[in-house]
mmCIF file of all heavy atoms in Angstrom:
data_model
loop_
_atom_site.group_PDB
_atom_site.id
_atom_site.type_symbol
_atom_site.label_atom_id
_atom_site.label_comp_id
_atom_site.label_asym_id
_atom_site.label_seq_id
_atom_site.Cartn_x
_atom_site.Cartn_y
_atom_site.Cartn_z
ATOM 1 N N GLN A 41 84.196 105.667 118.404
ATOM 2 C CA GLN A 41 84.804 105.836 117.080
ATOM 3 C C GLN A 41 84.997 107.299 116.711
ATOM 4 O O GLN A 41 86.001 107.667 116.134
ATOM 5 C CB GLN A 41 83.931 105.170 116.018
ATOM 6 C CG GLN A 41 83.882 103.661 116.085
ATOM 7 C CD GLN A 41 85.181 103.045 115.636
ATOM 8 O OE1 GLN A 41 86.001 102.661 116.450
ATOM 9 N NE2 GLN A 41 85.382 102.968 114.346
ATOM 10 N N GLU A 42 84.003 108.124 117.042
ATOM 11 C CA GLU A 42 84.063 109.525 116.633
ATOM 12 C C GLU A 42 85.244 110.240 117.288
ATOM 13 O O GLU A 42 85.974 110.980 116.630
ATOM 14 C CB GLU A 42 82.753 110.240 116.993
ATOM 15 C CG GLU A 42 82.663 111.617 116.363
ATOM 16 C CD GLU A 42 81.297 112.231 116.563
ATOM 17 O OE1 GLU A 42 80.280 111.524 116.396
ATOM 18 O OE2 GLU A 42 81.266 113.425 116.879
ATOM 19 N N ALA A 43 85.451 110.016 118.584
ATOM 20 C CA ALA A 43 86.570 110.640 119.289
ATOM 21 C C ALA A 43 87.891 110.158 118.716
ATOM 22 O O ALA A 43 88.806 110.949 118.472
ATOM 23 C CB ALA A 43 86.498 110.347 120.785
ATOM 24 N N VAL A 44 88.004 108.860 118.509
ATOM 25 C CA VAL A 44 89.227 108.290 117.938
ATOM 26 C C VAL A 44 89.470 108.872 116.548
ATOM 27 O O VAL A 44 90.591 109.287 116.215
ATOM 28 C CB VAL A 44 89.149 106.746 117.899
ATOM 29 C CG1 VAL A 44 90.273 106.157 117.074
ATOM 30 C CG2 VAL A 44 89.169 106.180 119.314
ATOM 31 N N HIS A 45 88.426 108.947 115.755
ATOM 32 C CA HIS A 45 88.535 109.477 114.393
ATOM 33 C C HIS A 45 88.995 110.942 114.415
ATOM 34 O O HIS A 45 89.871 111.338 113.650
ATOM 35 C CB HIS A 45 87.197 109.335 113.670
ATOM 36 C CG HIS A 45 87.240 109.684 112.234
ATOM 37 N ND1 HIS A 45 87.848 108.890 111.294
ATOM 38 C CD2 HIS A 45 86.783 110.777 111.569
ATOM 39 C CE1 HIS A 45 87.756 109.472 110.108
ATOM 40 N NE2 HIS A 45 87.109 110.617 110.248
ATOM 41 N N ASP A 46 88.405 111.759 115.304
ATOM 42 C CA ASP A 46 88.775 113.174 115.400
ATOM 43 C C ASP A 46 90.236 113.351 115.803
ATOM 44 O O ASP A 46 90.954 114.165 115.227
ATOM 45 C CB ASP A 46 87.872 113.907 116.406
ATOM 46 C CG ASP A 46 86.451 114.085 115.901
ATOM 47 O OD1 ASP A 46 86.209 113.894 114.684
ATOM 48 O OD2 ASP A 46 85.583 114.408 116.730
ATOM 49 N N ILE A 47 90.664 112.600 116.808
ATOM 50 C CA ILE A 47 92.049 112.704 117.269
ATOM 51 C C ILE A 47 92.997 112.234 116.172
ATOM 52 O O ILE A 47 94.043 112.856 115.932
ATOM 53 C CB ILE A 47 92.262 111.909 118.577
ATOM 54 C CG1 ILE A 47 91.427 112.521 119.710
ATOM 55 C CG2 ILE A 47 93.741 111.881 118.963
ATOM 56 C CD1 ILE A 47 91.309 111.650 120.943
ATOM 57 N N LEU A 48 92.650 111.170 115.489
ATOM 58 C CA LEU A 48 93.478 110.667 114.399
ATOM 59 C C LEU A 48 93.606 111.718 113.293
ATOM 60 O O LEU A 48 94.703 111.952 112.777
ATOM 61 C CB LEU A 48 92.915 109.364 113.843
ATOM 62 C CG LEU A 48 93.682 108.722 112.690
ATOM 63 C CD1 LEU A 48 95.142 108.453 113.065
ATOM 64 C CD2 LEU A 48 93.001 107.428 112.251
ATOM 65 N N ASP A 49 92.512 112.368 112.945
ATOM 66 C CA ASP A 49 92.563 113.427 111.932
ATOM 67 C C ASP A 49 93.495 114.563 112.366
ATOM 68 O O ASP A 49 94.285 115.071 111.563
ATOM 69 C CB ASP A 49 91.168 113.986 111.647
ATOM 70 C CG ASP A 49 90.307 113.034 110.840
ATOM 71 O OD1 ASP A 49 90.850 112.050 110.277
ATOM 72 O OD2 ASP A 49 89.089 113.272 110.771
ATOM 73 N N GLN A 50 93.401 114.969 113.627
ATOM 74 C CA GLN A 50 94.281 116.020 114.146
ATOM 75 C C GLN A 50 95.740 115.580 114.088
ATOM 76 O O GLN A 50 96.617 116.362 113.707
ATOM 77 C CB GLN A 50 93.911 116.364 115.589
ATOM 78 C CG GLN A 50 92.574 117.044 115.749
ATOM 79 C CD GLN A 50 92.157 117.124 117.213
ATOM 80 O OE1 GLN A 50 92.964 116.982 118.119
ATOM 81 N NE2 GLN A 50 90.864 117.337 117.441
ATOM 82 N N LEU A 51 95.986 114.355 114.474
ATOM 83 C CA LEU A 51 97.339 113.815 114.460
ATOM 84 C C LEU A 51 97.906 113.795 113.051
ATOM 85 O O LEU A 51 99.052 114.195 112.817
ATOM 86 C CB LEU A 51 97.347 112.407 115.067
ATOM 87 C CG LEU A 51 98.674 111.659 115.090
ATOM 88 C CD1 LEU A 51 99.697 112.393 115.952
ATOM 89 C CD2 LEU A 51 98.472 110.242 115.616
ATOM 90 N N VAL A 52 97.116 113.358 112.104
ATOM 91 C CA VAL A 52 97.556 113.306 110.708
ATOM 92 C C VAL A 52 97.895 114.704 110.197
ATOM 93 O O VAL A 52 98.938 114.919 109.581
ATOM 94 C CB VAL A 52 96.485 112.629 109.822
ATOM 95 C CG1 VAL A 52 96.769 112.835 108.344
ATOM 96 C CG2 VAL A 52 96.400 111.145 110.146
ATOM 97 N N ASP A 53 97.033 115.666 110.474
ATOM 98 C CA ASP A 53 97.299 117.046 110.047
ATOM 99 C C ASP A 53 98.579 117.578 110.674
ATOM 100 O O ASP A 53 99.405 118.197 110.007
ATOM 101 C CB ASP A 53 96.131 117.970 110.409
ATOM 102 C CG ASP A 53 94.914 117.756 109.533
ATOM 103 O OD1 ASP A 53 95.050 117.150 108.442
ATOM 104 O OD2 ASP A 53 93.817 118.189 109.931
ATOM 105 N N TYR A 54 98.725 117.341 111.966
ATOM 106 C CA TYR A 54 99.902 117.849 112.664
ATOM 107 C C TYR A 54 101.172 117.196 112.128
ATOM 108 O O TYR A 54 102.180 117.870 111.895
ATOM 109 C CB TYR A 54 99.783 117.636 114.177
ATOM 110 C CG TYR A 54 100.863 118.393 114.912
ATOM 111 C CD1 TYR A 54 100.719 119.756 115.162
ATOM 112 C CD2 TYR A 54 102.041 117.768 115.294
ATOM 113 C CE1 TYR A 54 101.718 120.464 115.792
ATOM 114 C CE2 TYR A 54 103.043 118.473 115.923
ATOM 115 C CZ TYR A 54 102.879 119.824 116.175
ATOM 116 O OH TYR A 54 103.882 120.522 116.787
ATOM 117 N N MET A 55 101.134 115.886 111.931
ATOM 118 C CA MET A 55 102.318 115.184 111.432
ATOM 119 C C MET A 55 102.662 115.641 110.018
ATOM 120 O O MET A 55 103.834 115.758 109.673
ATOM 121 C CB MET A 55 102.119 113.673 111.512
ATOM 122 C CG MET A 55 102.192 113.175 112.947
ATOM 123 S SD MET A 55 101.965 111.401 113.126
ATOM 124 C CE MET A 55 103.581 110.804 112.682
ATOM 125 N N ARG A 56 101.657 115.923 109.204
ATOM 126 C CA ARG A 56 101.901 116.425 107.849
ATOM 127 C C ARG A 56 102.646 117.762 107.918
ATOM 128 O O ARG A 56 103.628 117.979 107.215
ATOM 129 C CB ARG A 56 100.591 116.572 107.088
ATOM 130 C CG ARG A 56 100.776 116.979 105.640
ATOM 131 C CD ARG A 56 99.460 117.133 104.879
ATOM 132 N NE ARG A 56 98.568 115.991 105.051
ATOM 133 C CZ ARG A 56 97.366 116.051 105.623
ATOM 134 N NH1 ARG A 56 96.879 117.191 106.071
ATOM 135 N NH2 ARG A 56 96.622 114.968 105.739
ATOM 136 N N ASN A 57 102.183 118.660 108.783
ATOM 137 C CA ASN A 57 102.837 119.956 108.940
ATOM 138 C C ASN A 57 104.251 119.800 109.491
ATOM 139 O O ASN A 57 105.182 120.472 109.036
ATOM 140 C CB ASN A 57 102.021 120.876 109.849
ATOM 141 C CG ASN A 57 100.730 121.316 109.197
ATOM 142 O OD1 ASN A 57 100.634 121.407 107.976
ATOM 143 N ND2 ASN A 57 99.722 121.574 110.005
ATOM 144 N N HIS A 58 104.405 118.921 110.465
ATOM 145 C CA HIS A 58 105.725 118.693 111.054
ATOM 146 C C HIS A 58 106.703 118.157 110.017
ATOM 147 O O HIS A 58 107.807 118.668 109.881
ATOM 148 C CB HIS A 58 105.634 117.726 112.241
ATOM 149 C CG HIS A 58 106.960 117.183 112.641
ATOM 150 N ND1 HIS A 58 107.921 117.948 113.265
ATOM 151 C CD2 HIS A 58 107.519 115.959 112.465
ATOM 152 C CE1 HIS A 58 109.013 117.211 113.462
ATOM 153 N NE2 HIS A 58 108.777 116.000 112.984
ATOM 154 N N THR A 59 106.302 117.122 109.294
ATOM 155 C CA THR A 59 107.233 116.510 108.347
ATOM 156 C C THR A 59 107.591 117.468 107.215
ATOM 157 O O THR A 59 108.742 117.520 106.788
ATOM 158 C CB THR A 59 106.702 115.176 107.782
ATOM 159 O OG1 THR A 59 105.440 115.389 107.162
ATOM 160 C CG2 THR A 59 106.576 114.124 108.873
#
Side-chain angles (χ1 to χ4, degrees):
Q41 291 288 100
E42 191 172 317
V44 169
H45 187 72
D46 289 346
I47 296 167
L48 180 57
D49 287 347
Q50 292 169 18
L51 178 63
V52 167
D53 287 342
Y54 191 81
M55 287 180 80
R56 185 180 311 117
N57 291 332
H58 165 71
T59 57

